Amino acid sequence: MTSLNDLPIRDDLRGREPYGAPQLDVPYALNTNENPYPPSEALVKAIGAAVTGVAGSLNRYPDRDAVALRSDLAGFLNRDTPGADLTERRVWAANGSNEIIQQILQAFGGSGRTALGFEPSYSMHPIITSVSGTRWINAHRDEDFGLEAERAVAAVEEHRPDVVFLTSPNNPTGTALPLATIEAVLGAAPGMVVVDEAYAEFRREGTPSALTLLPRDPRLIVTRTMSKAFAMAGARLGYLAADPAVIDALLLVRLPYHLSAVTQAVARTALAHEAELLGSVDALRRDRDDVVAWLRAEGHQVADSDANFVLFGRFADRRKVWESMLGRGVLIREVGPPEWLRVSVGTPEEMAAFRTALKEST
């Protein structure tokens, strides 16, 4: 049988492993940061009706620029961050935030260019960077997983990257960045600055969004997703807010008709039911804070979290703990620094199972 190495693939792809968290059939899956609350029966019917509404015209291409969807997304962001003053000309959408990141790197990265990030952070940033032909530079986070402005600026001034990735709240640590750090990086960066806010809706009260900085700098891009707080991971819809010129740049690299009519219809229906879908966010925040307090009471180290997950440790052998919990039906994530594990915030029943399994595994 022919192996991958027998094919004439690009040399820089040889030896790589495909990205992917384990997808296992377990009673308690707490490893991919999904919203654990499914859509209501009423919303399921509304989504079905929306899909039926476009099904009769699937012989035609969808709206190539998804204008109506982008307008709806702009409306949501304006409600989320009053004063953002966004319109569809300042918003772009694609198949998940990963395609958004890919399009950004296709437009602003590439051969001979560099992208810089501060790890531990979202593992797809360096993966997509490398696959796009861009060189990745890891500038590292602080010991407490934060990022001081002076440290970030020093790294930017040293490497002069074409693209800087800042993740807030950060995955896998959950830590949010102060606006002062983002502003400092914008002042020092020679190229684009991407603030990945995939978990922004879960941030604690008083934690600002980088959306407030958009009017000040056309090189800032803020990315979001409907996979997390909106509980639409299966819909695959990511988006960004930026200067209209950035949108024009992305139009040069996007694939024609990249968002299907079905995807657009489902996403617009979800946005129309924003109150229901985001109704679980407050409960997930409270449950996150509860599990942080419980873990610390149990003697574990825990990173401060503004997301819907918690990074905790430290374990001399985290694989042993992970396997023990899996044997008890609880799937969490081996990710980030070697001595740490990450748990997504689930339902009260799921979190009770997590607590029991962790106590029995440590």
Side-chain angles (χ1 to χ4, degrees), residues 19-22 24 30-32 123 171-172 310-312 315-326 330-344:
Y19 171 86
L24 305 176
L30 299 171
N31 68 324
T32 52
S123 58
N171 179 13
V310 177
L311 188 75
F312 65 100
F315 303 102
D317 186 349
R318 74 170 178 184
R319 169 46 69 104
K320 181 179 179 181
V321 176
W322 182 86
E323 288 179 341
S324 177
M325 295 191 69
L326 182 61
V330 179
L331 176 62
I332 59 176
R333 187 77 183 271
E334 282 187 292
V335 68
E339 298 174 325
W340 297 74
L341 293 165
R342 191 192 72 194
V343 60
S344 307

Side-chain angles (χ1 to χ4, degrees), residues 125-136:
H125 289 162
I127 291 173
I128 300 175
T129 294
S130 299
V131 170
S132 73
T134 312
R135 184 168 68 89
W136 175 257

Side-chain angles (χ1 to χ4, degrees), residues 259-281:
L259 276 178
S260 75
V262 172
T263 297
Q264 294 183 45
V266 171
R268 294 195 67 199
T269 304
L271 287 163
H273 291 76
E274 169 190 331
E276 173 190 332
L277 288 170
L278 297 185
S280 62
V281 167

Side-chain angles (χ1 to χ4, degrees), residues 62-351:
D63 176 4
R64 184 174 53 228
D65 296 330
V67 174
L69 171 59
R70 289 161 56 197
S71 179
D72 290 350
L73 288 166
F76 164 70
L77 291 177
N78 289 334
R79 291 188 295 277
D80 177 80
T81 306
D85 196 26
L86 297 169
T87 67
E88 73 277 0
R89 277 289 291 133
R90 298 176 65 88
V91 175
W92 183 246
N95 292 283
S97 59
N98 288 328
E99 186 177 42
I100 288 287
I101 294 165
Q102 177 177 272
Q103 290 177 347
I104 291 169
L105 287 162
Q106 287 174 325
F108 300 104
S111 178
R113 295 194 171 198
T114 59
L116 180 145
F118 300 88
E119 297 184 75
S121 192
Y122 183 37
S123 58
M124 284 304 298
H125 289 162
I127 291 173
I128 300 175
T129 294
S130 299
V131 170
S132 73
T134 312
R135 184 168 68 89
W136 175 257
I137 300 169
N138 175 21
H140 303 287
R141 282 181 165 253
D142 302 333
E143 287 298 317
D144 64 356
F145 305 130
L147 184 60
E148 293 185 357
E150 294 80 4
R151 180 190 185 113
V153 168
V156 170
E157 290 180 340
E158 176 185 356
H159 297 287
R160 308 296 292 169
D162 298 281
V163 180
V164 176
F165 284 101
L166 300 173
T167 313
S168 181
N170 185 49
N171 179 13
T173 66
T175 41
L177 290 177
L179 284 185
T181 296
I182 299 172
E183 289 180 295
V185 170
L186 276 169
M192 306 302 294
V193 176
V194 181
V195 181
D196 187 332
E197 290 192 345
Y199 300 92
E201 291 86 358
F202 296 106
R203 64 193 188 276
R204 286 172 287 184
E205 197 70 31
T207 304
S209 166
L211 291 171
T212 60
L213 302 178
L214 277 176
R216 308 184 201 176
D217 200 316
R219 296 173 300 112
L220 173 63
I221 301 173
V222 181
T223 67
R224 292 278 188 104
T225 183
M226 293 186 73
S227 294
K228 308 303 181 183
F230 268 95
M232 284 284 128
R236 308 306 302 129
L237 198 291
Y239 58 104
L240 63 77
D243 189 88
V246 173
I247 312 303
D248 291 340
L250 299 181
L251 288 169
L252 300 176
V253 300
R254 62 92 190 267
L255 294 174
Y257 313 107
H258 69 294
L259 276 178
S260 75
V262 172
T263 297
Q264 294 183 45
V266 171
R268 294 195 67 199
T269 304
L271 287 163
H273 291 76
E274 169 190 331
E276 173 190 332
L277 288 170
L278 297 185
S280 62
V281 167
D282 285 343
L284 289 168
R285 284 175 178 152
R286 289 192 299 269
D287 292 345
R288 171 200 63 205
D289 294 341
D290 287 347
V291 77
V292 166
W294 180 83
L295 285 164
R296 286 174 174 162
E298 290 291 310
H300 300 287
Q301 294 185 42
V302 185
D304 290 333
S305 179
D306 278 278
N308 67 331
F309 55 82
V310 177
L311 188 75
F312 65 100
R314 297 184 168 181
F315 303 102
D317 186 349
R318 74 170 178 184
R319 169 46 69 104
K320 181 179 179 181
V321 176
W322 182 86
E323 288 179 341
S324 177
M325 295 191 69
L326 182 61
R328 290 166 170 79
V330 179
L331 176 62
I332 59 176
R333 187 77 183 271
E334 282 187 292
V335 68
E339 298 174 325
W340 297 74
L341 293 165
R342 191 192 72 194
V343 60
S344 307
V345 179
T347 64
E349 176 191 356
E350 290 171 331
M351 299 317 292

Side-chain angles (χ1 to χ4, degrees), residues 33-53:
N33 303 338
E34 297 155 324
N35 187 321
Y37 297 102
S40 68
E41 183 178 344
L43 179 51
V44 169
K45 290 180 179 179
I47 290 173
V51 173
T52 298

